[in-house]
């Protein structure tokens, strides 16, 4: 056995989001998932929607006490635009929402847990989609910035750590390319504009933060799913496919957020294909000037790409980024079969190296990592506890590669698991469980899993013991 010592003051925590935990109690507006559920409950696993989620709106004190027991020293959640803002045009706030978020922040601080707040976790108010086309619209960008300003004015006296979006590429892919989030559109041109507008919104929110932040240690960043894209083979065509996929999936937001510019190569391709976003010199200047101070990196699985096997004429619409690459499922790899995601911990090392070598070694943390399985009650033991040893192994294997990267100089300051408590997971609802703490969604009874005790030791000692076997995976 080897003991791996992590830096002191490392963030040992977990991440979740407002729409996945709070429930819809007293909410002013419906977000796109609330609306999707109201209209098409069949889109959701077992017809279970976001109405109650994990009842954080009512249970937050008890939930935060459980998070404390699990040893979390930092927790990310998000402020729901659809809860905080009553009038989406004028930006008047909802007083119950202000009371709720103040109470939540104070409760975290009372428990010595650093609150980390994100502003947008896929949860656009649906009215803005129907009225203006959602993220296709620059007016919506400005309404988002007004919402962000309210958050900074109200809460930045006590909250030092802020993030503008969670995984903006998932908004693009889910809503505008691959139909796994409402509005389920397939339109590459719209997807390109949505991606640009999300970046613009992030940069404008950062500019607002610099004016309004009240915290002496206040910082702002973005959470990206910065997933390496490995070519299926060493052939030139597969390498070109993986290169484009990397430009589109990773570098679009990463280069703009960290370096202040979109990759020229990507802009050239989109221009040549006549699908480039509408922009202006002023907007590009805003993006240039308002880069992030740090980054959150979500990592679950690697991406693999191969050259498209069919001509782009066979695409369902005029243009899709898949003109240049196709997802490749490698045979014989380790899989989380419940989610269909490959398990490849070494990718975390590759991510760290990429940030170190290509992005000035900007400070970052693992803002989501984790493994959700279905029917987790199969691990329920006679002692009444879920013995999720598989989750502990998954965490250890990833921490091993993170440790190696830190040893080689990676500027990583924390590790957040998805999620502190089992939560509502979009259309998958409660199918796959990710938490250190389990939820019975019928009774809302919550209990620590075995991994919560493991995580507490990890956090208290800032170190783990790992076997040769676990290191080799
Ligand atoms: C990330 C999201 C989270 C969470 C997680 C697990 O991409 O940021 O919100 O949902 O994935 O995925 P899923 O809920 O689809 O199982």
């Amino acid at each position: 056995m080897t003991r791996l010592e992590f830096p002191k003051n490392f963030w040992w925590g977990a991440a979740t989001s407002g729409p996945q935990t709070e429930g819809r109690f007293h909410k002013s507006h419906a977000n796109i998932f609330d609306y999707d559920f109201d209209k098409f409950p069949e889109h959701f696993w077992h017809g279970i929607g976001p109405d109650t989620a994990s009842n954080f709106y009512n249970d937050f004190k008890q939930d935060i006490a459980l998070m404390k027991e699990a040893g979390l020293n930092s927790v990310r959640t998000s402020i729901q635009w659809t809860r905080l803002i009553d009038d989406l045009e004028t930006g008047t706030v909802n007083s119950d929402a202000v009371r709720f978020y103040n109470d939540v922040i104070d409760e975290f601080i009372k428990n010595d847990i650093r609150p980390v707040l994100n502003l947008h976790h896929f949860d656009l108010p649906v009215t803005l989609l129907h009225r203006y086309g959602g993220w296709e619209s620059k007016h919506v960008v400005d309404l988002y910035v007004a919402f962000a300003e309210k958050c900074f004015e109200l809460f930045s006296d006590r909250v030092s750590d802020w993030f503008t979006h969670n995984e903006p590429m998932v908004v693009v892919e889910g809503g505008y390319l691959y139909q796994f989030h409402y509005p389920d559109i397939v339109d590459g041109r719209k997807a390109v504009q949505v991606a640009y507008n999300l970046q613009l919104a992030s940069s404008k929110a950062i500019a607002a933060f610099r004016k309004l932040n009240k915290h002496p240690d206040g910082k702002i960043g973005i959470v990206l799913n910065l997933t390496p894209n490995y070519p299926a083979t060493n052939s030139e065509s597969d390498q070109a496919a993986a290169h484009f996929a990397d430009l589109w999936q990773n570098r679009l937001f990463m280069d703009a957020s960290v370096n202040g510019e979109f990759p020229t190569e990507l802009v050239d391709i989109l221009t040549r294909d006549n699908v480039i976003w509408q922009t202006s010199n002023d907007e590009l200047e805003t993006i240039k000037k308002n880069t992030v101070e740090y980054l959150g990196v979500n990592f679950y699985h690697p991406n693999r790409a191969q050259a498209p096997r069919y001509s782009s004429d066979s695409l369902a619409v005029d243009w899709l980024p898949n003109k240049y690459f196709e997802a490749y499922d490698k045979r014989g790899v380790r899989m989380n079969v419940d989610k269909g995601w490959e398990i490849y911990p070494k990718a975390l090392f590759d991510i760290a190296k990429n940030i170190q070598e290509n992005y000035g070694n900007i400070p970052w943390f693992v803002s989501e990592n984790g493994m959700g399985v279905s029917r987790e009650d199969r691990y329920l033991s006679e002692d009444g506890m879920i013995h999720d040893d598989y989750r502990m192994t998954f965490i250890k294997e990833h921490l091993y590669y993170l440790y190696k990267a830190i040893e080689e100089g990676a500027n990583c300051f924390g590790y957040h698991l998805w999620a502190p408590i089992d939560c509502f997971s979009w259309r998958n609802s409660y199918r796959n469980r990710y938490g250190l703490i389990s939820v019975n969604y019928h009774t809302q009874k919550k209990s620590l899993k075995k991994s919560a005790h493991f995580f507490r030791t990890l956090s208290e000692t800032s170190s783990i013991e790992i076997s040769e076997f676990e290191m080799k995976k």
Side-chain angles (χ1 to χ4, degrees):
M1 292 292 251
T2 309
R3 181 162 287 280
L4 310 179
E5 304 272 353
F6 284 82
K8 295 277 163 258
N9 303 322
F10 209 63
W11 288 10
W12 293 110
T16 190
S17 76
Q20 291 175 274
T21 55
E22 291 171 13
R24 289 170 74 178
F25 312 99
H26 302 292
K27 232 163 59 125
S28 325
H29 296 281
N31 65 41
I32 54 170
F33 295 92
D34 300 331
Y35 176 85
D36 190 16
F37 178 67
D38 291 342
K39 286 271 178 195
F40 313 104
E42 67 278 11
H43 286 170
F44 293 74
W45 179 79
H46 285 198
I48 301 168
D51 291 359
T52 309
S54 55
N55 201 28
F56 188 67
Y57 179 85
N58 298 304
D59 270 358
F60 72 91
K61 285 197 177 165
Q62 173 216 294
D63 287 4
I64 292 173
L66 287 168
M67 293 179 202
K68 180 80 191 159
E69 271 191 66
L72 309 184
N73 63 20
S74 43
V75 169
R76 171 167 66 105
T77 185
S78 66
I79 298 181
Q80 292 198 72
W81 190 351
T82 50
R83 181 182 293 290
L84 189 73
I85 304 297
D86 259 345
D87 186 325
L88 293 166
E89 297 293 337
T90 64
T92 48
V93 293
N94 178 289
S95 55
D96 181 68
V98 175
R99 191 257 332 137
F100 170 67
Y101 288 119
N102 272 328
D103 288 352
V104 168
I105 290 165
D106 292 345
E107 195 65 21
F108 275 126
I109 293 172
K110 202 169 99 192
N111 281 278
D112 223 7
I113 297 175
R114 177 192 290 261
V116 178
L117 290 185
N118 172 37
L119 297 172
H120 170 233
H121 201 121
F122 315 156
D123 55 336
L124 179 77
V126 75
T127 315
L128 300 183
L129 178 74
H130 292 155
R131 204 178 283 163
Y132 301 114
W135 290 111
E136 289 172 55
S137 148
K138 301 227 172 132
H139 179 56
V140 170
V141 169
D142 289 335
L143 294 178
Y144 161 83
V145 177
F147 154 65
E149 286 174 349
K150 289 283 178 222
C151 294
F152 305 144
E153 279 163 11
L154 289 163
F155 311 120
S156 74
D157 56 334
R158 283 150 297 146
V159 176
S160 53
D161 296 279
W162 292 88
F163 289 88
T164 55
H165 298 303
N166 177 79
E167 299 184 351
M169 191 37 92
V170 168
V171 176
V172 177
E173 293 179 339
Y176 295 87
L177 293 174
Y178 310 129
Q179 295 181 293
F180 58 89
H181 285 178
Y182 189 75
D184 298 302
I185 291 169
V186 183
D187 187 323
R189 188 183 296 272
K190 286 185 177 178
V192 168
Q193 189 65 49
V194 165
Y196 172 84
N197 286 356
L198 283 163
Q199 178 58 49
L200 180 65
S202 176
S203 308
K204 283 188 158 187
I206 292 173
F209 182 77
R210 303 232 154 98
K211 287 201 191 103
L212 298 170
N213 165 47
K214 299 177 189 165
H215 201 288
D217 302 321
K219 287 197 181 64
I220 190 155
I222 188 166
V223 171
L224 299 177
N225 45 329
L226 196 63
T227 306
N229 227 304
Y230 301 109
T233 69
N234 283 334
S235 73
E236 241 174 65
S237 58
D238 284 347
Q239 290 198 37
H243 178 70
F244 178 86
D246 184 47
L247 280 172
W248 168 256
Q249 292 169 340
N250 298 319
R251 289 191 49 200
L252 190 160
F253 287 111
M254 185 66 176
D255 286 24
S257 291
V258 177
N259 297 336
E261 279 178 5
F262 296 104
T264 317
E265 199 185 338
L266 178 66
V267 173
D268 288 349
I269 295 170
L270 299 177
T271 308
R272 194 187 62 212
D273 286 357
N274 203 20
V275 291
I276 192 66
W277 42 64
Q278 287 178 348
T279 182
S280 72
N281 287 341
D282 272 2
E283 289 171 0
L284 293 177
E285 195 57 24
T286 302
I287 292 170
K288 175 108 204 141
K289 280 197 193 132
N290 294 288
T291 54
V292 294
E293 279 152 275
Y294 58 9
L295 266 183
V297 176
N298 292 355
F299 173 68
Y300 290 90
H301 60 88
N303 284 333
R304 298 185 186 274
Q306 62 188 348
R309 285 168 298 174
Y310 306 102
S311 126
S312 59
D313 298 345
S314 65
L315 295 176
V317 293
D318 282 353
W319 187 91
L320 287 178
N322 305 73
K323 180 176 170 186
Y324 297 105
F325 72 97
E326 192 176 292
Y328 166 71
D329 292 325
K330 194 174 171 189
R331 292 286 167 90
V333 294
R334 285 172 67 201
M335 292 291 291
N336 172 3
V337 287
D338 290 323
K339 181 71 187 165
W341 279 347
E342 182 182 340
I343 300 175
Y344 184 61
K346 181 176 174 290
L348 198 48
F349 180 84
D350 295 342
I351 289 173
K353 278 284 155 208
N354 178 29
I355 299 174
Q356 193 174 355
E357 286 163 10
N358 301 316
Y359 296 96
N361 212 11
I362 185 172
W364 65 283
F365 78 117
V366 177
S367 41
E368 285 181 31
N369 178 229
M371 182 163 172
V373 302
S374 66
R375 296 175 293 108
E376 209 189 21
D377 49 6
R378 64 189 130 142
Y379 301 109
L380 188 63
S381 202
E382 279 169 10
D383 60 6
M385 188 187 283
I386 289 176
H387 284 236
D388 51 344
D389 293 69
Y390 72 89
R391 174 167 290 112
M392 289 148 54
T393 305
F394 181 94
I395 295 172
K396 277 197 204 177
E397 290 167 358
H398 285 80
L399 285 177
Y400 170 65
Y401 281 104
L402 188 60
Y403 175 84
K404 271 173 70 111
I406 294 172
E407 250 193 342
E408 291 188 18
N411 201 358
C412 175
F413 60 86
Y415 176 87
H416 275 192
L417 189 77
W418 182 270
I421 301 179
D422 288 344
C423 61
F424 167 77
S425 254
W426 317 118
R427 285 179 176 164
N428 262 330
S429 187
Y430 269 99
R431 180 172 183 271
N432 295 333
R433 304 306 185 97
Y434 286 88
L436 295 168
I437 296 156
S438 69
V439 173
N440 176 327
Y441 63 76
H442 299 293
T443 62
Q444 288 294 330
K445 187 173 173 324
K446 293 162 185 163
S447 0
L448 301 189
K449 300 180 192 173
K450 189 174 172 190
S451 58
H453 298 279
F454 159 84
F455 207 89
R456 186 186 176 118
T457 309
L458 179 59
S459 161
E460 282 173 354
T461 60
S462 213
S463 67
I464 45 159
E465 287 234 299
I466 183 160
S467 65
E468 291 287 318
F469 177 69
E470 285 161 329
M471 285 189 230
K472 286 205 185 100
K473 285 202 178 168

